[in-house]
Amino acid sequence: MLSNIFYLSLLAILPTQSTATPTPGQKTWRDNRPTVVPSWGLIGMDDLECGDSCSRYCWQFTKTSISIDGTANFALSAGYHVSLTFGDDKVIPERDAECHTCGDLVMSGDNNGWEMTLKTAHAPMEGPVPVYIKFPGEKLLFSADSKGPFVSDQMISKDGYECDAWQCGGTILQNGQVRPTDYPNTTVPIDESWTTYSPNATEISYKGRWDDQYISWWSAPGLKFGFTGSAVAITFGRYTDNGNLIAYRYGGEDWMLTNVTANSTHQLITSSTPGYNLTAAGETRTFELRVSNWALGVQIDAIHLSSGGKLVKLPSYGKTVEVIGDSLSAGQFATLEGISSWAWGFGEGLGNVEFSIEAHPGICLTDIICSNNNFNGQLFQWFKTSDTSYRSTQIYPESQPDWDFSAHPAADLVVINIGTNDAGSSANVSAEQFENNYITFINRVHCVWPDAQIVVFSLWGGFSQQADTWVQGPTFEQAIENVVNAFSGSSTTPPSSNSSVCQTASANYSNVTSATPYGSGYVHYFNTTGILQHNDIGPLYHPTDVGHIKIASHLLQYVKLKFGWLLEATGPEVQHRTTLDQNPSKFLRLQVSARAMPTVHLLDYVAGNVRSLVNAIEKVGYTVKWIKSPADVPNAEKLILPGVGHFGHCLSQFAKAGYVEPIKKHIEDGKPFMGICVGLQALFEGSTESPDVPGLGIIPDGLKKFDDSDKSVPHIGWNSANTSGKDRGAGESLYGLRPDSKYYYVHSYAVPYIEGQLEKDGWAVATARHGNEEFVGAIAKDNIFATQFHPEKSGTAGLRVLKAFLDGERSSKLSTVPSPNAIQEGLTRRVIACLDVRTNDAGDLVVTKGDQYDVREKGDGVGAGGAVRNLGKPVDKAKQYYEQGADEVTFLNITSFRNCPVADLPMLEVLRRTSETVFVPLTIGGGIRDTVDVDGKVVSALDIATLYFKSGADKVSIGSDAVTAAEEYYAGGQKLTGKTAIETISKAYGNQAVVVSVDPKRTYVASPRDTSHHTIKTAFPGPNGEEHCWYQCTIKGGREGRDFDVRQLVQAVEAMGAGEILLNCIDKDGTNSGFDLELVKDVKEAVKIPVIASSGAGKPEHFAEVFKETTTDAALGAGIFHRGEYTVKQVKQHLREKSSLVRQVEE
């Protein structure tokens, strides 16, 4: 069958540099090598078959309808897949009858280039004949007639242009406009005076995807290493695309550009490189390289340093980002391509992350042959090392290698922007098919990285003019929203467990085919609508440089606000350089670095968890300067005085250090001052907690202890801070306080509120109510603001208050005024997420959960049971539960870190990282005891608790040691020694800082007379029909029972100074059958301090039940949340429906 298109293809496997000299008027690319030069008229041809003799260089022909007399000579550089198309099937009419015989073919040449001659005797056609020189995905236009050829300077259509960026290499295209470049020639000879390293040197960190031959793939891959010496050179291997543009930099200096060639060495750093002379001799210097293109690559053969130089391994950043996309993410048509893309600007802008961009023009999400000859979609290709470029078919003609995800750090954040090509007419993908494929793809990504948060872009579908404006068109808009909703829990399809499917997945996850979401809560929607204007899209339908900058900037802020990630300088500057016009000397630099943030001074006088306050201050855009002595106070403009714990201890330390008078002077001078918790209490004359220790005396009143006859004391949890007084309008907010918000309090002493008493002296007061007692929750006058609650532990509501003070925004209008019915005063019931943390058999810290304290999977495996259950990473899980609305997060460290220095305990780092993004109270349990460090030094329980507090903990939980201490307490006639962990820690930090974790189990007896222990009559008889039981205390994780009952224990630890009881139940652990209500009631009757019910929660109804049937202060869940059966938000919603007072999550 005849066709009106003529194709010619060349496939070579050894790309080499041509040294041919271009002829006058010839189009050139890469390093001035000739491409296709029509030297005479063009002809048509009959079918020719490629025999075995063609071997690796195979020319393939199809029929054409065009015939012209003459000869056509073409010089082709070897090593590139090229197609020639004669004619235009949309323009040139068929002339099949005229093509009877079409001459012969002559080929000659070597690896520097091939010459092809076509001959025919047919009569010439009239006028110029279009000829397409077709590279994968794009076209070059030439015209010729019988009088000779000429090269057109015009594009014939939107997708016809002179040269695509991946073909041009060093020639930059911005929206199809060729930008001449004149980058320095960096090639050098290498001799034995250099110190040479192989590409597999462990000191080299490869960024993005590189295969085992050290060939780069996808968009903007790179490498980074430290070095000593005065020079760096790199030898690029034979699989380097000639003329490929790379960016490289020294330290945090500007990126520099050069073109590299195969089988050559380029010196990139010399002693004259900018910034080199600013680094002292012998110090480690930093070198970084990125490949600019998204389809061309380099191969690293060797790294060379000046004589005596050494490579140095640089530490990687703690977070990892993965971008998955198509041309819009790869940087096609941007000035510097991959390193001008929004994906690059986003990764560089964060500054403290490792990032990789798996994006390629023309690729679909759906696994089909998509635009630009992409032979696979991301549904398949993302799991491969290589991309879908022509190079991949050359280097891997049989099959592409799978990417080994296990050999690389897991991503913390995945950003996906794909679907534009699926929506194209050539792909013909339906919305339903796209939606199902997207869910499947996210499931696969989730299998790879179960702890990653995933951000899904809405697509920008181009702009159309309507009347006198431009309107952005939708692309798969509803389908993408459906995908996000499916993973948010709002879909009608329930989430399914992914563990078994993921664990048995093949290397490329092709057997993960479900379009039902695996879990929920980790997929987020980034709406791009309105970010780009019509003139931010170039003539070839891709973002201009400004467009890329806009997208990156908005995404940076989204991630900062959504996930609490901070933008950090890592260079010393983190920058992204791009060009906006045709003059290469003029650049617009997008520099995203740690801006010069305003400062606030913070005074730490052993005031407990100050780290969380620092994190909160930085979260709202300020930086902290520490006051280290009274002499520093006059230098402070804004000053915050925090405090946690015992009034007498804190104020004594405060006075002893000489801070009283400087602080008073600061306030008298009218400088902004904020007190938090004990910082508020310090403003008053004194407290009954320590009658002999005076306060600052700025307010003539004092603090009294709460009455514990009708409620739990300490007052721990979330309560109101409602403003009062005539100067406060109903629609106004005092320092960001809102009447329907809840804030976190933890204290036993408070200033009783008497209406009008403080107001008459000019104070604005916000109050809260605990039981029937109303007290001062916050107070303000002139330059003074103080809160009894902890804003740094009050979630979004607290951060808003902290920011208002720092910004000096004393009064503001409420955006909405809640109705009186919407305001519920009083202490809420808390929902706490608990994470049992231990090392698994591979030595990694994981969240796990036991069935009656057995944390191993059932069946074959390690030891008597299977492997340790791995339910996720502790830091990621904590953040997830915080965002869902958890009122507190508790870490129970169930691993004994033997032979580990106390200062290096892994849980310290867990706390540090968690406190950066989680702004509710954190409790840590496990190992809070006197111990001997690995160096033989005795470390007290108080010392260990101090380490935890300084790392971000608000409370410490003591388990087995509390049982031992209680037994000694009774043996000593119920006398306090002042030496137990409970006593020493509560004295230093207050009793609210000490939680005792109790692990009781039922022991049945026929009659109370059968035991000396306190018994209850149970509604759940024992195995022999026993109607009574007592709760036996256990130690060592429930493995050893003691002749000691739960009432004895809780009353003893309350006397010692514990502020809260975490009440577990071995019988209920892992059963999902609900809390042991009888145990909870029994313990609540025995103590005045708050009690947290734990063990047995399997559904939201269990939380409602324990809050209705008992007076417990809080309820804790673990497995119910870890397994994804219910979210904290769903539990709270159910509690509100059952009329329980709980804190609502604020965005």
Side-chain angles (χ1 to χ4, degrees):
M1 178 177 178
L2 296 177
S3 169
N4 62 342
I5 302 178
F6 173 113
Y7 289 97
L8 175 150
S9 300
L10 167 65
L11 181 63
I13 64 168
L14 297 177
T16 56
Q17 182 178 1
S18 170
T19 57
T21 302
T23 58
Q26 176 182 333
K27 285 290 181 181
T28 61
W29 61 300
R30 304 187 186 280
D31 43 56
N32 290 328
R33 286 173 294 168
T35 178
V36 183
V37 183
S39 61
W40 192 240
L42 306 178
I43 64 171
M45 297 208 66
D46 283 321
D47 290 344
L48 295 177
E49 294 185 357
C50 180
D52 293 338
S53 62
C54 293
S55 185
R56 298 184 184 277
Y57 303 105
C58 181
W59 301 83
Q60 297 177 343
F61 298 86
T62 59
K63 295 179 181 178
T64 180
S65 62
I66 306 169
S67 298
I68 304 178
D69 265 64
T71 299
N73 294 324
F74 298 87
L76 297 172
S77 298
Y80 302 97
H81 183 284
V82 182
S83 298
L84 274 64
T85 303
F86 284 50
D88 186 337
D89 56 349
K90 296 180 180 179
V91 179
I92 304 299
E94 293 188 8
R95 301 177 61 88
D96 297 339
E98 296 184 22
C99 185
H100 301 291
T101 59
C102 296
D104 54 11
L105 167 69
V106 178
M107 291 174 52
S108 63
D110 55 26
N111 282 343
N112 287 326
W114 289 90
E115 188 173 87
M116 177 186 70
T117 303
L118 303 175
K119 298 180 180 180
T120 183
H122 285 289
M125 288 183 62
E126 295 181 0
V129 178
V131 180
Y132 298 102
I133 311 303
K134 188 177 189 305
F135 294 83
E138 312 301 348
K139 298 176 182 178
L140 292 171
L141 173 63
F142 297 88
S143 296
D145 59 23
S146 58
K147 297 180 180 179
F150 67 92
V151 179
S152 172
D153 291 325
Q154 303 298 319
M155 293 185 293
I156 61 166
S157 65
K158 67 180 181 181
D159 61 350
Y161 42 85
E162 293 179 338
C163 181
D164 190 25
W166 71 262
Q167 300 143 5
C168 296
T171 301
I172 299 298
L173 286 184
Q174 182 184 4
N175 289 298
Q177 304 297 314
V178 176
R179 179 188 300 281
T181 57
D182 185 23
Y183 300 120
N185 184 347
T186 54
T187 55
V188 294
I190 291 292
D191 55 31
E192 294 181 355
S193 66
W194 292 77
T195 301
T196 298
Y197 288 82
S198 66
N200 65 351
T202 57
E203 295 87 352
I204 305 172
S205 297
Y206 288 92
K207 313 299 182 181
R209 293 196 182 178
W210 297 72
D211 63 19
D212 57 7
Q213 300 179 78
Y214 302 97
I215 303 171
S216 66
W217 298 98
W218 298 92
S219 181
L223 57 83
K224 188 175 183 179
F225 53 78
F227 71 96
T228 61
S230 60
V232 173
I234 298 179
T235 297
F236 294 92
R238 65 177 185 172
Y239 288 118
T240 297
D241 287 286
N242 287 319
N244 202 351
L245 183 68
I246 65 166
Y248 61 97
R249 69 172 176 174
Y250 172 82
E253 295 291 331
D254 289 352
W255 289 94
M256 297 171 282
L257 302 169
T258 191
N259 299 102
V260 298
T261 53
N263 300 317
S264 62
T265 301
H266 293 257
Q267 183 171 352
L268 304 175
I269 300 296
T270 70
S271 58
S272 60
T273 297
Y276 179 88
N277 61 347
L278 302 179
T279 307
E283 289 188 7
T284 298
R285 298 173 163 93
T286 299
F287 174 83
E288 187 174 2
L289 174 150
R290 290 277 180 167
V291 181
S292 72
N293 197 258
W294 36 261
L296 296 177
V298 301
Q299 181 184 31
I300 304 298
D301 261 8
I303 306 292
H304 312 278
L305 304 179
S306 56
S307 180
K310 293 182 179 180
L311 286 181
V312 178
K313 180 72 173 180
L314 298 175
S316 296
Y317 299 125
K319 298 186 182 77
T320 302
V321 172
E322 177 91 353
V323 176
I324 304 171
D326 49 29
S327 60
L328 302 174
S329 306
Q332 188 176 22
F333 306 128
T335 300
L336 297 180
E337 303 174 290
I339 58 173
S340 288
S341 69
W342 68 260
W344 167 272
F346 170 64
E348 284 285 272
L350 284 170
N352 58 350
V353 304
E354 305 294 340
F355 65 94
S356 181
I357 307 170
E358 272 55 77
H360 194 274
I363 197 168
C364 283
L365 167 67
T366 307
D367 190 21
I368 57 175
I369 298 177
C370 200
S371 175
N372 294 358
N373 294 334
N374 282 269
F375 46 82
N376 285 113
Q378 289 285 23
L379 196 59
F380 170 90
Q381 197 66 37
W382 183 70
F383 300 90
K384 298 296 181 180
T385 299
S386 59
D387 50 43
T388 58
S389 65
Y390 79 103
R391 297 187 308 127
S392 186
T393 59
Q394 290 180 291
I395 297 174
Y396 298 113
E398 299 297 329
S399 62
Q400 302 165 308
D402 294 322
W403 180 248
D404 186 0
F405 291 98
S406 65
H408 301 85
D412 299 286
L413 178 65
V414 179
V415 180
I416 307 176
N417 175 26
I418 197 163
T420 304
N421 295 309
D422 297 73
S425 58
S426 61
N428 197 29
V429 176
S430 69
E432 181 180 5
Q433 182 184 6
F434 178 76
E435 180 180 326
N436 290 335
N437 286 335
Y438 215 144
I439 292 174
T440 300
F441 183 61
I442 291 175
N443 284 341
R444 291 181 180 182
V445 174
H446 184 59
C447 280
V448 174
W449 296 317
D451 297 317
Q453 298 295 306
I454 298 176
V455 172
V456 172
F457 268 50
S458 69
L459 304 177
W460 51 90
F463 289 84
S464 60
Q465 191 162 13
Q466 295 185 13
D468 59 352
T469 189
W470 293 82
V471 178
Q472 181 175 341
T475 301
F476 285 142
E477 186 175 35
Q478 188 58 55
I480 292 176
E481 289 185 10
N482 291 344
V483 169
V484 176
N485 289 337
F487 286 92
S488 68
S490 63
S491 171
T492 56
T493 304
S496 62
S497 172
N498 66 343
S499 57
S500 61
V501 179
C502 294
Q503 289 171 4
T504 59
S506 58
N508 60 12
Y509 293 84
S510 59
N511 61 333
V512 178
T513 59
S514 175
T516 300
Y518 288 171
S520 61
Y522 59 89
V523 178
H524 313 275
Y525 183 59
F526 180 64
N527 190 351
T528 63
T529 304
I531 295 178
L532 299 178
Q533 305 302 311
H534 79 277
N535 53 6
D536 294 321
I537 303 295
L540 294 176
Y541 305 112
H542 288 70
T544 63
D545 291 354
V546 171
H548 280 291
I549 292 171
K550 285 185 176 181
I551 298 165
S553 298
H554 280 263
L555 184 59
L556 283 167
Q557 293 303 314
Y558 175 87
V559 169
K560 179 181 178 182
L561 297 173
K562 183 74 175 179
F563 304 111
W565 288 23
L566 299 179
L567 313 184
E568 296 186 8
T570 56
E573 68 180 1
V574 176
Q575 65 180 29
H576 169 60
R577 181 204 295 183
T578 183
T579 307
L580 288 180
D581 56 31
Q582 294 296 321
N583 185 348
S585 66
K586 295 181 180 179
F587 292 96
L588 172 69
R589 178 181 302 170
L590 169 65
Q591 182 166 321
V592 186
S593 61
R595 63 185 174 87
M597 295 190 295
T599 60
V600 59
H601 284 74
L602 192 61
L603 194 156
D604 180 18
Y605 52 99
V606 194
N609 176 15
V610 182
R611 174 178 288 271
S612 290
L613 179 56
V614 174
N615 291 336
I617 291 171
E618 293 178 347
K619 174 76 173 176
V620 299
Y622 286 73
T623 189
V624 169
K625 287 189 177 180
W626 293 97
I627 291 179
K628 299 179 180 179
S629 72
D632 295 334
V633 175
N635 299 325
E637 181 60 31
K638 293 184 176 73
L639 176 63
I640 295 180
L641 177 64
V644 176
H646 194 279
F647 179 92
H649 176 80
C650 291
L651 268 294
S652 296
Q653 294 289 328
F654 186 69
K656 183 178 180 181
Y659 284 112
V660 172
E661 293 306 319
I663 293 298
K664 285 184 175 180
K665 182 68 165 56
H666 176 94
I667 295 173
E668 290 172 0
D669 289 343
K671 295 182 179 180
F673 171 88
M674 182 177 184
I676 297 174
C677 194
V678 176
L680 173 142
Q681 297 177 3
L683 295 173
F684 291 83
E685 291 180 329
S687 171
T688 57
E689 186 174 17
S690 298
D692 297 331
V693 178
L696 296 177
I698 293 173
I699 306 175
D701 205 341
L703 294 93
K704 298 179 177 60
K705 187 175 182 179
F706 285 115
D707 179 6
D708 61 9
S709 63
D710 62 346
K711 56 185 174 291
S712 297
V713 177
H715 170 240
I716 298 178
W718 299 76
N719 210 325
S720 305
N722 293 334
T723 55
S724 63
K726 295 180 180 179
D727 63 327
R728 313 271 9 118
E732 293 185 16
S733 169
L734 175 66
Y735 286 114
L737 294 171
R738 295 181 183 174
D740 54 345
S741 293
K742 295 290 183 179
Y743 307 91
Y744 183 75
Y745 294 83
V746 52
H747 58 122
S748 299
Y749 293 78
V751 179
Y753 176 69
I754 302 174
E755 186 173 357
Q757 181 171 305
L758 292 166
E759 289 88 344
K760 66 181 176 61
D761 292 327
W763 293 95
V765 183
T767 64
R769 183 175 296 276
H770 186 32
N772 60 1
E773 295 183 79
E774 190 173 12
F775 64 94
V776 174
I779 194 167
K781 179 182 179 181
D782 300 329
N783 57 309
I784 301 173
F785 177 53
T787 62
Q788 180 62 69
F789 62 83
H790 288 267
E792 76 279 14
K793 288 296 170 183
S794 298
T796 301
L799 294 176
R800 183 177 61 244
V801 171
L802 193 59
K803 188 176 192 318
F805 167 75
L806 293 173
D807 290 347
E809 190 176 355
R810 186 179 192 274
S811 180
S812 60
K813 291 289 184 181
L814 291 171
S815 56
T816 58
V817 180
S819 65
N821 293 333
I823 302 173
Q824 293 181 293
E825 293 193 8
L827 190 63
T828 66
R829 311 295 279 273
R830 286 173 283 152
V831 177
I832 300 174
C834 180
L835 294 84
D836 291 341
V837 180
R838 64 157 291 163
T839 53
N840 62 11
D841 300 308
D844 301 320
L845 276 182
V846 298
V847 176
T848 189
K849 186 69 185 78
D851 293 331
Q852 296 186 323
Y853 290 24
D854 180 5
V855 299
R856 292 191 177 274
E857 301 285 3
K858 306 302 181 186
D860 298 334
V862 180
V868 172
R869 292 187 186 93
N870 182 352
L871 300 176
K873 296 180 180 179
V875 175
D876 296 338
K877 283 292 183 183
K879 185 172 182 291
Q880 177 184 341
Y881 299 146
Y882 163 66
E883 291 174 345
Q884 291 176 1
D887 296 314
E888 297 182 23
V889 174
T890 295
F891 293 107
L892 295 183
N893 170 22
I894 59 176
T895 293
S896 176
F897 293 101
R898 297 178 177 87
N899 303 318
C900 177
V902 169
D904 295 331
L905 287 172
M907 288 304 297
L908 294 174
E909 181 61 22
V910 169
L911 283 169
R912 293 185 193 107
R913 290 182 57 197
T914 301
S915 67
E916 292 175 359
T917 57
V918 175
F919 297 100
V920 295
L922 302 175
T923 300
I924 176 69
I928 316 294
R929 63 172 68 92
D930 295 343
T931 189
V932 178
D933 210 346
V934 293
D935 60 359
K937 179 183 177 181
V938 176
V939 182
S940 70
L942 176 59
D943 292 333
I944 293 175
T946 299
L947 282 174
Y948 280 132
F949 289 137
K950 288 186 175 182
S951 297
D954 301 281
K955 298 184 265 189
V956 293
S957 177
I958 301 174
S960 297
D961 283 17
V963 178
T964 303
E967 290 174 332
E968 295 174 352
Y969 169 75
Y970 285 107
Q974 301 186 32
K975 293 182 180 179
L976 300 176
T977 65
K979 298 179 180 180
T980 65
I982 297 172
E983 292 171 272
T984 56
I985 297 171
S986 63
K987 180 179 179 181
Y989 295 102
N991 60 355
Q992 81 289 329
V994 180
V995 179
V996 170
S997 180
V998 184
D999 297 324
K1001 64 179 180 180
R1002 287 190 173 214
T1003 300
Y1004 285 96
V1005 291
S1007 167
R1009 295 188 297 273
D1010 296 338
T1011 179
S1012 61
H1013 295 291
H1014 170 77
T1015 62
I1016 64 167
K1017 186 172 182 179
T1018 178
F1020 306 97
N1024 299 314
E1026 300 94 336
E1027 294 183 350
H1028 297 84
C1029 71
W1030 64 282
Y1031 287 94
Q1032 180 188 27
C1033 293
T1034 66
I1035 59 175
K1036 300 178 181 178
R1039 296 188 299 274
E1040 180 181 319
R1042 309 292 292 178
D1043 187 20
F1044 203 62
D1045 66 57
V1046 69
R1047 274 216 172 198
Q1048 291 175 295
L1049 174 59
V1050 297
Q1051 289 175 340
V1053 298
E1054 181 180 34
M1056 293 178 196
E1060 203 164 19
I1061 300 295
L1062 173 54
L1063 184 57
N1064 307 299
C1065 179
I1066 294 177
D1067 308 283
K1068 285 285 191 176
D1069 184 66
T1071 65
N1072 299 325
S1073 60
F1075 300 95
D1076 189 330
L1077 303 180
E1078 294 177 336
L1079 172 62
V1080 176
K1081 290 177 182 178
D1082 188 40
V1083 171
K1084 279 294 294 182
E1085 291 173 358
V1087 294
K1088 301 291 187 182
I1089 58 179
V1091 172
I1092 303 168
S1094 177
S1095 304
K1099 55 185 179 180
E1101 288 80 358
H1102 293 149
F1103 288 85
E1105 180 183 47
V1106 75
F1107 286 147
K1108 179 180 178 182
E1109 300 297 331
T1110 77
T1111 58
T1112 188
D1113 303 87
L1116 178 148
I1120 181 178
F1121 302 136
H1122 305 332
R1123 294 186 294 267
E1125 295 163 355
Y1126 296 96
T1127 65
V1128 178
K1129 187 175 182 179
Q1130 288 171 323
V1131 169
K1132 285 193 161 186
Q1133 179 61 38
H1134 179 77
L1135 289 172
R1136 280 194 293 272
E1137 292 171 357
K1138 297 300 180 181
S1139 301
S1140 290
L1141 180 56
V1142 292
R1143 177 181 68 101
Q1144 296 187 37
V1145 181
E1146 295 188 39
E1147 298 297 334

